[in-house]
Amino acid sequence: HLLLFLLFVGPFNCFASYSRATELFYSLNEGLPAGVLIGSLARDLRLPTSGSQHPAALRPPLSFTLASHGLGGQYVQLDNRSGELHTSAVEIDREALCVESSGATVFGSSAVSSSFSSSEPCLLLLDVLVLPQEYFRLVKVKIAIRDVNDNAPHFPVPHIHLSVPENAPVNTRLAIEHPALDPDMGTNGVQTYRLRDNYGVFTLDVEENESGERTPYLIVMGALDRETQEEYVTVIVAEDGGTPPLVGSATLTIGISDINDNCPQFNDSQLNVTLYGNSSLGTHVATVHAVDMDLGSNAQVTYSYSQKVHQPSRDLFHLNESTGAITLSTKVDGDTPKLHRLIILGNGPGCIPAVITVLVTIIKVMRRPPEVVPRFIANEVEGVVYLKELEPINTPIAFFTIKDPDEKYKVSCYLDGDGPFRLSPYQPYNNEYLLETTKPLDFETQQLYEISVVAWNSEGFHVNKVIKVQVLDDNDNSPVFSEQLIELSIEENNVPNAFLTKLHATDADSGERGQVSYFLGPDAPSYFALDKTTGVLTVSTQLDREEKEKYRYTVKAVDSGFPPRESIATVTITVLDKNDNSPRFINKDFSFFVPENFPGFGEIGVISVTDADAGQNGWVALSVLNGSDIFVIDTGKGVLRAKVSLDREQQSSYVLWIEAVDGGDPALSSTAKITILLLDINDNPPLVLFPQSNMSYLLVLPSTLPGSPITEVYAVDKDTGMNAVIAYSIIGRRGPRPESFRIDPKTGNITLEESLMQNDYGLYRLLVKVSDHGYPEPLHSTVMVNLFVNDTVSNESYIESLLRKEPDISIEEKQPQISIEPTHKKMESASCMPTLVALSIISLGSIALVTGMSIYICLRKGKRHHREDENLEVQIPLNGRIKLHMLEKKPVEISNI
């Protein structure tokens, strides 16, 4: 209430006392992100803001400043103008910041007030200065950090051991010394414990002391018996009170300690033994054995005679108090009783002795049996002879002396038992026998032999001397691989350190001699690794089948004997293919030159493509992406064909895109560009464009001067190169004087050779042959050029009738001789000027007509010569598209003039 009162009256008395400090208290959860609003100092201090009644002109702006940037200042951000306090980018962790104590734990930039309640133990203290001077005050801000359940309980040790005596009564409580820890506080700390498996005899309880610490206790709920079960292993789980709760666990081992709750017991109550009267001192009579189910000192059993055993029996038979062995301690004579009753006690600590009765019956022997006296050559310990398996044949083991104690009877002996041993008389001594080996011993075949040397006399007395032969192992076996050729396979692009196989080799030797280590051979690549102990073979890098498909190297198995023995196996690794390579064309661009009119489905060319993968992944199918209506490709052989014959005059080149797709899943593909260039052949004869008809004619005036151009024959050829070079020639003539006209073989211009006379009037018919220079056979066309020499045309129908008649013309086979070399001539338009001057002198009446015609013909001829000279040069490109450049001309219609 005092705090609320101070906050209320603060704005009214802040001008009166600048020395007063104001406290503000906030609380927030730990672990909040940056930018979370903690509180507004201006609002909570009720300082004037923009919405207050004070005029804005009279109110200076407020300023909020941290007095000191201590530990608490890094966790908050203060707005200097608004006074709003937010969380910073540094996350608040209550468990890391605060140290629990009896009072509040604080971090800040100023002294700590001790009046704060310990119910909120973790505080951040901030000192904030409020300016200007009119509002100056020191504000102490306390921020309580509330705990959240962000930590799970954990035990300080992963394994907890607890010992419980087996006689612990029900409800016995045992404290568990390592309780779980939880940095969180209050209900977020550890609340309960439980066992995952209580075996029906245990439970847990939790006790809380005055300081709030909770300690788990193990409570015994049932009877325990170490002899039934000596250990219980379970899991102890600690759970906090958060929402949701968090848990931690540790292994709890409950050992049941032994108490002396069992006494020794004999399996039998009576033991009957027979002893010959001629037995030697130390002869073993019997052994008694009592069992105590307890452990350690509680299970120690000692043996003693009962007080009921007579002293003569005690003197005759010795009892080993530790082992329970009974032996003959004195010689049996005629006065020795024939029956002895030995009552033996089995004593345990704190127990009533167990009792067993041993009845010993002594049989009187009138004659003594033969004696067998061994003298060992080989190493012998307590009747066991030790021989190495590599000992040679006829290795001596022992001498045996066979004799009759009474020296009255003949004694014989033989060897009884299986094994590579022989007992033979040792000459020249009597009653001496040598025991030796007959074959090499093999530890791996049999390790222990038990044989007996049997002696008997003529009275039928038998004596057995048992000998045990222990074969000692030697390093005589090399490790043996389960397979001499180890065939493996792995897909390419494997992960690094991929498992290949686990090698296995066995060694028949024992101990260290049989321990096998594995090594790579010198021919193994460095990126293969073989674990020395386990034999696990791995590859440390990715394998690429296209780089290498098969690996072959050796591995060794070496034992630990001295000297060590080894064996070698061969490892072959086949790298299996994966579809990791796209089909690859040998060229990115293919170009084929094909003569036009090539027959349909003829072979244009072969598209070579490869795929580095194998099998189905390396199978490649080819297809035409564009132009598939004209071209087709053989998928298997890569042969490109055209379905129809190709005409260069229709299209001179084709550009195709070929796709290669392999057979993998998913399939990979690539494309290549194919350019087909058609080579021209001479399949088009020249086409005459002028004159357009064999029935057309031209009027030639008799006054035409020699050398004057009369007309022209104009033709074009759709072919190209030499096949389009045209030559003109007159192969037939008819007329009054047909030699008067000649034709230029290059240009087709027809000129007058000689002056025309009176008797030269009439119709002239010239058969012109237009021929190309094609190979191997040039093609040609013919056209009839009709010239009518006269002053005028007075009767057109008469001339037309003459043209309709079939001319009687003899064919001249003289070939025109022209040069293919391009020529560049320049025809002067002024060369016709002398002709015009001469005509004006001869006939003033015809000046206008002749002059107009001459000027027209000369000017047109000059332009055509200029164009032909420029385009006569022929180029046959070796690469690229072959284009036909044609000179387009419109034929001039010349008919009845």
Side-chain angles (χ1 to χ4, degrees):
H1 294 82
L2 178 60
L3 178 61
L4 293 175
F5 175 77
L6 291 176
L7 291 175
F8 178 78
V9 303
F12 300 99
N13 58 12
C14 62
F15 295 104
S17 177
Y18 299 113
S19 61
R20 294 187 59 186
T22 304
E23 287 189 357
L24 291 178
F25 175 74
Y26 300 104
S27 65
L28 76 159
N29 292 341
E30 62 173 325
L32 293 177
V36 176
L37 178 64
I38 300 173
S40 175
L41 272 65
R43 181 192 62 203
D44 297 338
L45 294 173
R46 298 186 180 183
L47 296 177
T49 59
S50 58
S52 63
Q53 298 178 357
H54 297 278
L58 301 178
R59 185 178 63 250
L62 294 175
S63 174
F64 299 87
T65 308
L66 288 175
S68 175
H69 295 279
L71 179 61
Q74 64 178 321
Y75 298 104
V76 297
Q77 286 184 341
L78 177 62
D79 191 306
N80 294 337
R81 293 298 181 187
S82 66
E84 289 186 347
L85 199 63
H86 296 82
T87 57
S88 70
V90 181
E91 184 178 291
I92 300 175
D93 184 4
R94 191 196 66 83
E95 290 75 30
L97 292 178
C98 299
V99 179
E100 299 296 338
S101 64
S102 58
T105 302
V106 294
F107 293 89
S109 57
S110 303
V112 180
S113 173
S114 61
S115 62
F116 183 68
S117 173
S118 62
S119 60
E120 294 287 349
C122 187
L123 295 178
L124 288 179
L125 296 185
L126 303 173
D127 290 343
V128 180
L129 297 177
V130 181
L131 297 175
Q133 187 174 0
E134 293 88 332
Y135 301 101
F136 172 75
R137 68 181 64 188
L138 175 64
V139 181
K140 290 191 174 293
V141 180
K142 295 181 180 180
I143 303 175
I145 309 302
R146 292 193 297 264
D147 182 50
V148 298
N149 192 27
D150 58 346
N151 292 279
H154 70 278
F155 288 89
V157 292
H159 299 278
I160 302 174
H161 296 271
L162 195 63
S163 179
V164 181
E166 61 178 327
N167 63 343
V170 176
N171 293 327
T172 298
R173 299 169 65 88
L174 300 171
I176 297 176
E177 297 181 355
H178 301 284
L181 305 176
D182 193 329
D184 295 324
M185 61 180 296
T187 58
N188 292 332
V190 178
Q191 299 297 316
T192 61
Y193 291 87
R194 67 176 185 273
L195 295 177
R196 287 187 182 172
D197 186 1
N198 57 18
Y199 296 95
V201 293
F202 299 106
T203 187
L204 286 179
D205 190 18
V206 179
E207 291 186 2
E208 185 175 356
N209 59 17
E210 296 179 356
S211 62
E213 296 179 353
R214 296 173 180 262
T215 303
Y217 281 81
L218 181 71
I219 301 176
V220 179
M221 302 298 294
L224 303 176
D225 185 8
R226 188 206 62 80
E227 289 72 32
T228 302
Q229 185 169 350
E230 63 180 1
E231 186 179 72
Y232 297 87
V233 179
T234 184
V235 175
I236 181 172
V237 179
E239 183 176 310
D240 63 21
T243 303
L246 302 178
V247 298
S249 62
T251 301
L252 176 62
T253 301
I254 306 171
I256 309 303
S257 59
D258 184 54
I259 64 169
N260 191 25
D261 58 345
N262 291 278
C263 290
Q265 292 183 353
F266 288 106
N267 294 330
D268 300 311
S269 61
Q270 183 171 313
L271 187 63
N272 298 321
V273 180
T274 300
L275 181 67
Y276 289 102
N278 61 350
S279 298
S280 59
L281 296 178
T283 299
H284 179 266
V285 177
T287 299
V288 294
H289 181 66
V291 178
D292 191 324
M293 298 299 294
D294 293 324
L295 288 178
S297 60
N298 294 330
Q300 290 182 355
V301 180
T302 59
Y303 303 93
S304 62
Y305 284 125
S306 171
Q307 294 181 358
K308 297 180 181 180
V309 178
H310 300 293
Q311 189 63 38
S313 297
R314 292 173 180 260
D315 297 337
L316 183 61
F317 300 104
H318 175 263
L319 175 62
N320 190 310
E321 66 177 13
S322 298
T323 63
I326 303 172
T327 57
L328 186 63
S329 59
T330 59
K331 270 199 169 190
V332 177
D333 54 23
D335 298 331
T336 303
K338 303 301 184 248
L339 181 64
H340 297 266
R341 186 182 183 89
L342 306 178
I343 301 174
I344 300 175
L345 305 178
N347 306 296
C351 290
I352 299 175
V355 180
I356 187 172
T357 301
V358 179
L359 294 178
V360 182
T361 303
I362 298 177
I363 300 175
K364 186 177 181 181
V365 179
M366 299 302 296
R367 300 180 183 86
R368 292 183 292 176
E371 293 181 357
V372 179
V373 180
R375 288 171 292 168
F376 291 98
I377 302 172
N379 184 28
E380 179 267 340
V381 177
E382 296 182 355
V384 179
V385 177
Y386 295 91
L387 291 178
K388 291 186 178 180
E389 63 175 330
L390 296 181
E391 293 288 351
I393 301 175
N394 301 326
T395 296
I397 300 175
F399 280 112
F400 290 88
T401 302
I402 310 299
K403 62 182 180 179
D404 181 16
D406 299 327
E407 297 181 354
K408 294 180 179 181
Y409 305 100
K410 181 180 179 181
V411 180
S412 300
C413 72
Y414 66 91
L415 187 65
D416 185 22
D418 297 329
F421 304 103
R422 177 176 58 222
L423 183 65
S424 58
Y426 190 73
Q427 301 297 335
Y429 304 103
N430 294 326
N431 299 330
E432 294 286 344
Y433 293 86
L434 176 63
L435 179 63
E436 60 186 353
T437 61
T438 59
K439 293 180 181 179
L441 302 178
D442 188 2
F443 175 85
E444 290 72 35
T445 303
Q446 187 169 346
Q447 301 174 9
L448 181 65
Y449 296 90
E450 188 169 323
I451 56 178
S452 299
V453 176
V454 181
W456 82 98
N457 60 18
S458 57
E459 292 296 318
F461 285 98
H462 289 75
V463 174
N464 292 343
K465 181 64 176 179
V466 179
I467 301 172
K468 294 182 180 179
V469 178
Q470 176 68 54
V471 181
L472 301 179
D473 187 31
D474 212 331
N475 194 30
D476 60 337
N477 290 278
S478 298
V480 178
F481 280 99
S482 56
E483 295 175 299
Q484 286 299 314
L485 178 61
I486 304 165
E487 297 179 328
L488 307 173
S489 63
I490 184 174
E491 281 193 341
E492 63 176 331
N493 304 330
N494 55 282
V495 297
N497 300 316
F499 172 84
L500 293 175
T501 190
K502 183 176 182 180
L503 304 181
H504 180 66
T506 57
D507 194 315
D509 294 323
S510 63
E512 292 185 354
R513 293 173 289 273
Q515 293 180 358
V516 180
S517 300
Y518 302 90
F519 302 93
L520 290 173
D523 54 344
S526 60
Y527 38 84
F528 288 96
L530 180 59
D531 189 278
K532 175 182 177 181
T533 305
T534 63
V536 173
L537 181 63
T538 57
V539 57
S540 61
T541 186
Q542 282 191 347
L543 300 180
D544 187 0
R545 189 203 66 83
E546 290 73 37
E547 181 179 337
K548 189 171 184 179
E549 184 175 7
K550 287 188 177 293
Y551 295 87
R552 185 184 181 93
Y553 53 86
T554 57
V555 291
K556 295 191 300 182
V558 183
D559 63 23
S560 301
F562 182 80
R565 301 175 70 96
E566 66 180 40
S567 61
I568 296 177
T570 301
V571 176
T572 62
I573 301 174
T574 302
V575 183
L576 303 179
D577 184 55
K578 292 183 72 174
N579 193 28
D580 57 345
N581 290 278
S582 301
R584 183 176 181 181
F585 291 92
I586 61 172
N587 295 313
K588 286 296 182 183
D589 297 320
F590 292 84
S591 297
F592 297 107
F593 294 88
V594 183
E596 65 174 328
N597 301 331
F598 195 68
F601 292 98
E603 181 178 325
I604 295 176
V606 177
I607 310 300
S608 298
V609 62
T610 60
D611 194 311
D613 294 321
Q616 185 74 14
N617 296 330
W619 181 85
V620 179
L622 298 173
S623 61
V624 181
L625 296 180
N626 62 327
S628 58
D629 54 338
I630 300 177
F631 297 93
V632 66
I633 191 166
D634 188 331
T635 296
K637 298 180 180 180
V639 178
L640 182 64
R641 306 175 190 273
K643 298 178 183 179
V644 297
S645 179
L646 305 178
D647 187 1
R648 189 203 63 80
E649 286 70 37
Q650 293 184 2
Q651 185 170 343
S652 62
S653 65
Y654 296 86
V655 176
L656 304 178
W657 289 96
I658 304 297
E659 182 182 38
V661 182
D662 62 23
D665 185 20
L668 302 177
S669 64
S670 61
T671 57
K673 180 182 177 183
I674 311 298
T675 303
I676 301 173
L677 303 174
L678 296 182
L679 301 178
D680 183 51
I681 63 173
N682 194 25
D683 59 344
N684 291 281
L687 175 64
V688 178
L689 301 179
F690 184 82
Q692 293 180 338
S693 171
N694 289 336
M695 301 297 292
S696 63
Y697 64 93
L698 179 67
L699 176 65
V700 179
L701 298 177
S703 59
T704 302
L705 297 178
S708 299
I710 303 302
T711 186
E712 70 173 341
V713 176
Y714 181 68
V716 295
D717 196 316
K718 294 182 179 179
D719 296 322
T720 186
M722 295 296 296
N723 297 330
V725 176
I726 298 175
Y728 303 89
S729 63
I730 299 175
I731 61 173
R733 304 169 186 262
R734 184 176 179 80
R737 189 153 58 95
E739 296 83 6
S740 301
F741 299 95
R742 67 176 293 273
I743 190 168
D744 189 308
K746 293 182 182 180
T747 65
N749 290 336
I750 298 176
T751 58
L752 181 65
E753 287 291 300
E754 300 175 358
S755 298
L756 298 174
M757 304 300 178
Q758 185 67 31
N759 54 356
D760 294 336
Y761 286 34
L763 181 63
Y764 289 80
R765 307 197 73 179
L766 305 178
L767 182 60
V768 178
K769 178 181 180 181
V770 183
S771 176
D772 61 24
H773 283 66
Y775 178 82
E777 184 69 29
L779 301 179
H780 69 274
S781 301
T782 59
V783 67
M784 189 70 72
V785 178
N786 301 306
L787 302 175
F788 184 62
V789 178
N790 201 4
D791 292 327
T792 61
V793 178
S794 59
N795 190 350
E796 293 183 3
S797 59
Y798 170 72
I799 298 173
E800 291 176 357
S801 65
L802 293 177
L803 294 175
R804 282 194 291 271
K805 293 180 180 180
E806 187 69 29
D808 184 12
I809 300 176
S810 60
I811 304 300
E812 302 175 4
E813 291 301 332
K814 182 178 180 182
Q815 293 291 337
Q817 300 296 326
I818 66 173
S819 173
I820 307 303
E821 294 293 332
T823 59
H824 299 275
K825 295 182 179 179
K826 214 169 187 181
M827 180 169 285
E828 301 288 346
S829 62
S831 61
C832 294
M833 294 304 297
T835 303
L836 297 177
V837 175
L839 289 175
S840 63
I841 297 174
I842 295 172
S843 176
L844 296 175
S846 60
I847 288 175
L849 177 62
V850 174
T851 304
M853 291 182 61
S854 299
I855 292 173
Y856 170 78
I857 293 172
C858 291
L859 291 175
R860 188 170 179 270
K861 190 66 177 180
K863 294 179 181 179
R864 182 171 66 255
H865 272 255
H866 185 65
R867 286 196 302 270
E868 287 178 349
D869 291 342
E870 291 178 348
N871 292 279
L872 190 58
E873 184 176 351
V874 179
Q875 294 182 356
I876 302 178
L878 297 179
N879 291 309
R881 297 171 61 94
I882 302 176
K883 296 183 179 179
L884 177 63
H885 299 279
M886 296 173 49
L887 178 63
E888 297 184 0
K889 290 192 175 184
K890 294 182 179 180
V892 179
E893 211 175 283
I894 301 178
S895 58
N896 304 326
I897 299 176

